[in-house]
Amino acid sequence: NNSVITVNGPGLFSIGDSEYNHWFDGMALLHSFTFTNGEVTYRSKFLRSETYKRNMKAEKIVVTEFGTLVYPDPCSNIFSRTLTHLRNLVPDFTDNNLVNIVRYGGDYYASSEVNHINQIDPVTLETIGRTNYRNYISLNLATAHPHYDDEGNTYNMGTAIMGFGLPKYIIFKVPADTSDNRKKKLALRGVQQVGSVPFRSLLSPSYFHSFAMTQNHFVFVEQPLKLDIVKLATAYVRGVTLGSCLRFDEDQTTLFHVIDRTTGKAVSTRFYGDPLVVFHHVNAYEEDGHVVLDLISYQNSNLYEMFYIHNMRQETSSFIQANKRFSPPVCQRFVLPLHAHTVRGSNLVTLTDTAAAAVMQEDGSVYCRPDTLFEGLELPAINYNFNAKKYRYFYGSRLEWSPHPNKMAKVDIVSRKHVEWFQENCFPSEPVFVASPGATEEDDGVILSSVVSPDPNISPFMLVLDAKTFTEIARASIPASVHMDLHGHFIPAANAV
């Protein structure tokens, strides 16, 4: 039996004479690290998406991405150009699924945030074929960060811009047992809508990259980083990219929606906080009538600008100077009291291990003030056996002077202390926690991370750390070129396909 970690990220930034503008635009490159009897086997393949095929056939970039706009061939006639515009009125720019590997039932997909996802074999990395969320549920966008419960069911969120009824955010479930590989029936055929939340602003839904789940609730953060639907629908005609359709409204509050997992209904209390931007949640759980929500927040949406290729190619000193205005990631804890009473002006949080506050206002809404857990960490990871449960430790990539992390950290929420792994001129990817067989302690396990270096004398390697001590156990050097990735999925031997 083999254990496999499959990861995803951008890996090709120029095709022919054309180049991408943004790091998030690069063609998706899949990697797998297979662990067998103390040995590690590395494999990588480009995702054979329709976008990849079209670009390769044309020998240039012909499909619009997040930060790179492609115009129709100027030599084509007016009729074909008009058809191209019409075809791009809906947000189907690309199926270059470069963000994560997600599981629905027994099916694995390379995923980003568009309605098309590509099914893959997570071991061989072969692309099996493309499918469309809209064949199963009315969605235009969906996250690449679902949640999994103890039974193997998958929960995810998406945005329904066009379809029946008013636009809304949708929470859906894909049961664990709906795959049928013999008849080539996908698990998505069993999708069930769990609940929905209407847009706060009809023509400008909140952008979201992930959401939170507790044992009894989902938590959706409706942040003031917004997608301009009108601009998106006319993006191709107006000559703007998907990235330019996002805007941060610094004058609007952040709303925290708490949705019952059984009924699909949101609790009536209106929880809100100061404007923030969040991409990744750490964890969430319930304690003594409160929902505890840990997330990585930013003061604005300038993070995306750091990843434009012309910024990333700067010398280190120039990059640091140019990017001083970017807000650093801050891990914050919000506490939402589920049974908010009518006492105005007092802190409703009764938990004793946090400085987070929640104060009822005159209009009955609750203003939430966070507790800062840690600064300068992104790509958070936990022991997923503690997902939706009270936990103590989280792991992540340290972001200090670079958009690429140059350290990893383990944070102890109770002691508020942290330890780091660091090697000069090395850049680790998102840490992945793997529990030891039969483990009972939360940090009994290992941390896996793929590490790259610009130093030709340092081969890329798979790093294995003891999660308790954060010291190195082993590393497997890779005699090949390895790219920095974004997110991955670990498949233990018993479940490897």
Side-chain angles (χ1 to χ4, degrees):
N1 285 339
N2 304 325
S3 296
V4 181
I5 180 171
T6 305
V7 293
N8 198 352
L12 182 65
F13 300 95
S14 63
I15 303 172
D17 294 330
S18 56
E19 292 187 350
Y20 286 114
N21 297 329
H22 201 279
W23 191 61
F24 294 164
D25 295 344
M27 291 287 89
L29 180 62
L30 305 171
H31 312 258
S32 70
F33 299 86
T34 304
F35 298 82
T36 310
N37 299 324
E39 293 185 346
V40 178
T41 304
Y42 172 76
R43 178 185 283 113
S44 68
K45 287 183 182 177
F46 283 104
L47 179 70
R48 261 53 178 186
S49 62
E50 291 303 310
T51 295
Y52 179 87
K53 293 174 187 176
R54 287 177 60 189
N55 286 342
M56 291 303 116
K57 183 177 180 180
E59 298 183 336
K60 62 180 180 179
I61 299 168
V62 295
V63 180
T64 290
E65 297 289 345
F66 173 84
T68 305
L69 178 71
V70 179
Y71 288 98
D73 184 351
C75 298
S76 63
N77 60 47
I78 186 67
F79 180 70
S80 67
R81 290 207 302 272
T82 302
L83 283 180
T84 303
H85 288 320
L86 291 173
R87 194 165 58 240
N88 285 278
L89 286 179
V90 292
D92 283 350
F93 290 105
T94 177
D95 68 338
N96 178 35
N97 305 127
L98 79 163
V99 176
N100 203 1
I101 307 296
V102 304
R103 178 183 61 76
Y104 291 120
D107 307 332
Y108 292 86
Y109 293 89
S111 177
S112 50
E113 296 179 332
V114 295
N115 57 292
H116 285 116
I117 52 179
N118 278 279
Q119 188 180 6
I120 65 163
D121 182 317
V123 178
T124 68
L125 304 183
E126 295 292 339
T127 303
I128 297 170
R130 185 171 81 163
T131 191
N132 190 336
Y133 278 117
R134 292 208 296 263
N135 293 339
Y136 306 93
I137 188 170
S138 180
L139 289 176
N140 301 98
L141 304 165
T143 88
H145 288 287
H147 283 282
Y148 310 96
D149 66 16
D150 293 338
E151 286 74 46
N153 304 305
T154 304
Y155 299 86
N156 205 350
M157 277 197 71
T159 304
I161 299 172
M162 296 171 291
F164 297 108
L166 292 174
K168 52 189 172 290
Y169 312 105
I170 290 177
I171 302 169
F172 61 94
K173 171 186 176 180
V174 179
D177 58 356
T178 52
S179 302
D180 189 343
N181 292 329
R182 289 172 298 177
K183 296 183 179 179
K184 295 186 177 179
K185 292 183 177 179
L186 302 180
L188 279 170
R189 68 195 172 99
V191 67
Q192 304 164 7
Q193 182 171 320
V194 175
S196 65
V197 176
F199 291 178
R200 173 170 35 169
S201 305
L202 192 61
L203 293 178
S204 52
S206 171
Y207 167 80
F208 58 100
H209 187 77
S210 59
F211 64 105
M213 185 173 80
T214 70
Q215 290 189 320
N216 298 296
H217 296 89
F218 302 104
V219 186
F220 166 54
V221 180
E222 192 173 14
Q223 60 187 344
L225 177 58
K226 297 177 167 277
L227 182 63
D228 188 323
I229 291 179
V230 175
K231 197 172 183 180
L232 178 67
T234 59
Y236 206 80
V237 177
R238 291 158 58 92
V240 297
T241 63
L242 175 61
S244 69
C245 297
L246 291 171
R247 61 181 176 84
F248 178 63
D249 186 351
E250 62 185 10
D251 298 320
Q252 192 170 64
T253 59
T254 299
L255 286 182
F256 300 90
H257 299 277
V258 181
I259 300 123
D260 189 291
R261 282 179 58 177
T262 302
T263 66
K265 304 292 185 183
V267 302
S268 58
T269 305
R270 180 177 176 269
F271 299 102
Y272 77 97
D274 290 342
L276 60 77
V277 171
V278 54
F279 301 105
H280 298 116
H281 287 76
V282 183
N283 198 6
Y285 61 90
E286 295 166 32
E287 184 177 17
D288 295 337
H290 305 75
V291 166
V292 179
L293 175 69
D294 296 344
L295 51 80
I296 309 294
S297 74
Y298 296 83
Q299 293 179 352
N300 55 48
S301 60
N302 291 340
L303 175 74
Y304 276 132
E305 293 182 34
M306 289 180 69
F307 288 92
Y308 276 98
I309 301 296
H310 68 268
N311 281 335
M312 297 176 69
R313 284 176 174 163
Q314 296 181 82
E315 292 294 325
T316 300
S317 58
S318 301
F319 184 90
I320 294 172
Q321 190 64 35
N323 293 297
K324 281 184 175 179
R325 67 187 183 89
F326 292 108
S327 82
V330 180
C331 180
Q332 294 185 317
R333 168 164 289 183
F334 290 87
V335 179
L336 316 176
L338 292 174
H339 309 294
H341 46 77
T342 57
V343 178
R344 301 319 199 244
S346 61
N347 182 14
L348 304 178
V349 176
T350 58
L351 303 180
T352 58
D353 60 353
T354 179
V359 179
M360 180 165 284
Q361 308 299 295
E362 289 301 321
D363 63 359
S365 64
V366 176
Y367 167 71
C368 301
R369 187 179 68 240
D371 178 7
T372 296
L373 301 180
F374 194 78
E375 294 189 12
L377 182 144
E378 249 293 2
L379 303 178
I382 62 169
N383 177 345
Y384 202 77
N385 293 325
F386 285 77
N387 189 56
K389 303 168 188 173
K390 187 169 185 178
Y391 73 117
R392 178 170 179 170
Y393 305 105
F394 65 95
Y395 312 86
S397 303
R398 292 282 276 125
L399 291 180
E400 295 177 315
W401 52 266
S402 166
H404 288 318
N406 66 325
K407 299 177 183 177
M408 283 189 294
K410 173 187 179 181
V411 179
D412 183 332
I413 298 171
V414 174
S415 70
R416 301 297 173 102
K417 295 180 179 180
H418 77 283
V419 291
E420 293 182 341
W421 176 89
F422 169 75
Q423 181 175 325
E424 187 70 36
N425 216 12
C426 285
F427 297 89
S429 67
E430 173 190 55
V432 175
F433 180 94
V434 181
S436 299
T440 55
E441 294 181 282
E442 182 184 340
D443 61 348
D444 183 359
V446 298
I447 293 293
L448 303 178
S449 178
S450 170
V451 183
V452 299
S453 173
D455 186 339
N457 296 315
I458 303 175
S459 297
F461 58 93
M462 169 56 66
L463 176 67
V464 184
L465 299 180
D466 182 320
K468 275 186 175 295
T469 62
F470 226 55
T471 55
E472 182 173 335
I473 296 174
R475 65 175 64 185
S477 295
I478 313 292
S481 176
V482 176
H483 286 264
M484 178 73 73
D485 54 66
L486 285 170
H487 301 291
H489 192 102
F490 180 77
I491 309 172
N495 303 107
V497 294

